[in-house]
Structures are given as C-alpha cells and as structure tokens.
Amino acid sequence: MRIENKAYRTIWFEDNIVKIIDQTKLPHKFIIKNLKTVADAINAIKIMEVRGAPLIGATAAYGLVLSIIEKNDLSFLKKSSEDLIASRPTAINLKWAVDRMMKKLSGVNNNDILNIALKEAKSIVEEDVSFCKSIGLNGLKIIEEISKKKNDTVNILTHCNAGWLATIDWGTATSPIYHAHQKGIKVHVWVDETRPRNQGANLTSYELNEEGISNTVITDNAGGILMQRDQVDMCIVGTDRTLANGDVCNKIGTYLKALAAKDNNVPFYVALPSSTIDWNIKDHKKIPIEERDSEELSHVEGIDKNNQITKVRIYPEKSKSMNLAFDVTPAKYVTGLITEKGICEASEKGLKGLFK
C-alpha cells in the first residue's frame, strides 16, 4: 500500500537489518526504524512500534533471524524464541510464527541455519501478503452485493486497525474495502477512534486517506446510534485470535459493536488469515487477555503547536485505571468469517469446511 504515493510494506529485511514503520509515531511522523538485534524486535512488539497479529508474527520470525546473526547458538535461539512469545500474549500469530520457525530450524547445521531461517521468515511474509489479498477478493463479493442492492455508497464500520499497517500489505478488514475502491465501488468507512491507543484514528484513517478512500472518525460509542439510523451497511473487523468454535478475540470494544450490530440487523464480519486460528483452545475464558500499562488510558499523545509529539495526562492524578487490551465476541454474534480460502459461518463446522 502507499504513503505519499510510494508503495511500502510494513516490514522488510535489508543488509542484515529488519526495517519497520514505527507505528507509535503515526500519523504525525513517518519514520522507518532499524531492528538490529532480537532484543530490538522484542521491544518493538512490546511497545507497539509494530502491532496487529500478522505483523507481530512476521516480526517475531525476523527476530529469530536477528538472533542467529547476533549469536549462532542453539541455547540463545531457544531463549530468544521464549522471550518473543512472552512479549505479547494474546495474538496467536506470534506463537504460531515462532513455533513454525523453530520447527524448521530444529536439527539444522549451524552453517546453514541463517539461510534457512531467512527463507522461512520471508515465506511467512509472502504468505501473509497472499492471504490478505485473497481475503480482500472474498470480502469484495459481500460489498458488491450490498452495492447492487443499495445502488449507492456502501457504509462500512471498522474497529481498531486491521489495515495494511497491521499486516504486511492489504490488511484483513481493510482488504475488501481496498479491492472495492479499486474496482470503482463507492465506499465510506466509519472509523472507530479506538481508545486507548487510538489505532483507528491514528492508523486506519491515516492509511485510508493515503488511498483516497472516504472515511469519518467517530468515537467508539457512536457506532450504535449510526446503526439505529441505518447509516451502517456492514461491519468488518480483524481478530488477534479466533477459536475453532468461531469465538473471536479482538481489540477491546469489538464485543459491544457486535451486540449493537446484532440488535440492528447489521451484518458483522470478521476478516482473518488462517494463521490467526487457534485450533487448540476450546473455551474463550482460557485466552490470555493482555492487560497493558494504565498510562495508555490516563495519558494521550498528540502534536503540539511546535510540531512535536507530546504526551499529556487527562485523568485526575489519583485516579486508578484498568487497561484490558482485548475482549471476546461469541460466535453467535458473527455473521461470517472472511478467510483466504473463502467465507464461512463462525463455527467449528464452518472453519473445518474450509480448512481440512
């Protein structure tokens, strides 16, 4: 996708360095950052310089490449893999990518391990690009149907950022939107601000603007009244972990959007690559829900009159706050899952019908 009409991916490998777009500085500053060690990769994941389940997975894969470059030692590699998995607990792609890399590297000769690791990390990246493009083409069919029936602009509500900034390219929830736009279908996106880190306002609206797609930022609690007023034709969100039974773990606030959509008969779709499916956990209460620093709630960042990014406190100094990063939307509130292999109902039967 593009920034100022130049094509970028969110992560790439160059001269033994992993390069990322520092998402903590967006939308105010566009900065490409170098990750030179596995500790750099872990830190980038922890402080959300990279975020979004597929991109976290890719960063972890490249993190293991950096580990080998830094110190070609099996015990160091194993410790690196453990530290990467622990860096953010909820998104399943992180563990999936690390496990895939470690399985590929098991028993490999030290002389060959770097080339094999780099090849596998690049495979993970290219697969994600392909999967996200296919998700877009599958989701495009839904937008086309609504457009034909309505014969007017299709209004789509999103939550958080499941755009190309959360993946390698295309995005998950945004991919159908980008494909519809490229096909000439008129779309307008209601962008949830998505407190506390404002990934909707800071990232989704930013990338939609760069692609020339009409969008409006709204408060997280405005989606319900827009649905009541028939101003939302469909919802599309991403997911950090989807269970085999169709339950969806995603950015906090997703569950409330799904409830509002159900009450107003608005289709609620979840877009995901197969790497985001957790086939092992059956009970959503067993998903590790990340609780982040309360300062993400009590403070906000913005650009000041001197064009500097500034952080300010907005809560009373003595107030306590709790910052749960994710919630779970039960499968019964999900209209369908949009995957790289097609669209299915949010259920074990639906998922197994696509993924044998």
Side-chain angles (χ1 to χ4, degrees), residues 21-90:
I21 298 168
D22 183 351
Q23 298 190 27
T24 63
K25 302 299 188 292
L26 293 174
H28 308 297
K29 294 182 179 180
F30 181 76
I31 295 173
I32 294 172
K33 185 169 183 176
N34 294 335
L35 306 181
K36 298 179 180 179
T37 67
V38 65
D40 289 344
I42 291 167
N43 186 62
I45 294 170
K46 279 185 175 180
I47 68 172
M48 295 176 70
E49 289 173 339
V50 293
R51 24 73 51 209
L55 178 53
I56 289 173
T59 305
Y62 275 132
L64 291 177
V65 172
L66 292 174
S67 173
I68 294 167
I69 292 172
E70 188 177 349
K71 187 178 181 181
N72 193 344
D73 175 79
L74 186 59
S75 61
F76 184 67
L77 183 64
K78 188 174 185 298
K79 180 66 166 57
S80 297
S81 71
E82 293 167 353
D83 291 344
L84 281 162
I85 290 173
S87 61
R88 290 201 71 189
T90 302

Side-chain angles (χ1 to χ4, degrees), residues 35 103 105 181 324:
L35 306 181
K103 184 178 179 181
L105 299 175
H181 177 70
L324 295 174

Side-chain angles (χ1 to χ4, degrees), residues 111-305:
N111 294 328
D112 302 324
I113 194 168
L114 178 58
N115 288 334
I116 293 172
L118 186 55
K119 184 178 179 180
E120 190 67 11
K122 288 181 176 179
S123 292
I124 288 172
V125 164
E126 294 303 328
E127 277 181 22
D128 188 69
V129 175
S130 175
F131 286 176
C132 287
K133 184 175 182 179
S134 295
I135 287 168
L137 292 171
N138 291 327
L140 170 63
K141 299 169 188 174
I142 301 168
I143 299 175
E144 284 179 321
E145 288 177 10
I146 294 172
S147 178
K148 288 175 184 176
K149 289 179 183 177
K150 192 178 179 186
N151 197 27
D152 200 353
T153 300
V154 180
N155 288 294
I156 302 169
L157 186 141
T158 67
H159 187 67
C160 197
N161 173 259
W164 74 266
L165 287 166
T167 63
I168 312 302
D169 210 345
W170 289 105
T172 54
T174 58
S175 189
I177 296 169
Y178 289 136
H179 279 88
H181 177 70
Q182 290 181 5
K183 200 168 181 181
I185 298 172
K186 290 184 179 179
V187 292
H188 170 263
V189 185
W190 297 111
V191 180
D192 275 358
E193 181 184 37
T194 322
R195 285 276 292 147
R197 294 185 65 96
N198 297 338
Q199 294 103 317
N202 289 347
L203 303 179
T204 302
S205 185
Y206 172 73
E207 61 177 84
L208 291 171
N209 290 341
E210 294 295 319
E211 293 294 325
I213 296 175
S214 172
N215 70 93
T216 304
V217 177
I218 58 173
T219 63
D220 291 357
N221 293 325
I225 192 168
L226 291 177
M227 294 182 206
Q228 288 177 332
R229 292 177 172 179
D230 296 324
Q231 290 179 273
V232 180
D233 297 304
M234 65 182 296
C235 302
I236 314 180
V237 301
T239 171
D240 290 82
R241 185 188 300 234
T242 293
L243 303 190
N245 67 357
D247 289 348
V248 173
C249 181
N250 193 46
K251 178 69 178 181
I252 195 80
T254 303
Y255 175 42
L256 298 181
K257 286 297 180 300
L259 290 175
K262 184 73 171 180
D263 191 51
N264 290 279
N265 297 312
V266 174
F268 186 91
Y269 288 94
V270 178
L272 68 151
S274 53
S275 55
T276 309
I277 303 170
D278 185 340
W279 296 101
N280 298 314
I281 294 179
K282 304 296 182 184
D283 180 359
H284 69 77
K285 292 179 182 178
K286 294 182 179 179
I287 298 173
I289 300 295
E290 180 181 2
E291 185 171 350
R292 294 185 60 80
D293 191 334
S294 62
E295 191 173 292
E296 291 182 350
L297 284 173
S298 60
H299 291 67
V300 294
E301 284 188 352
I303 199 90
D304 65 17
K305 62 182 180 181

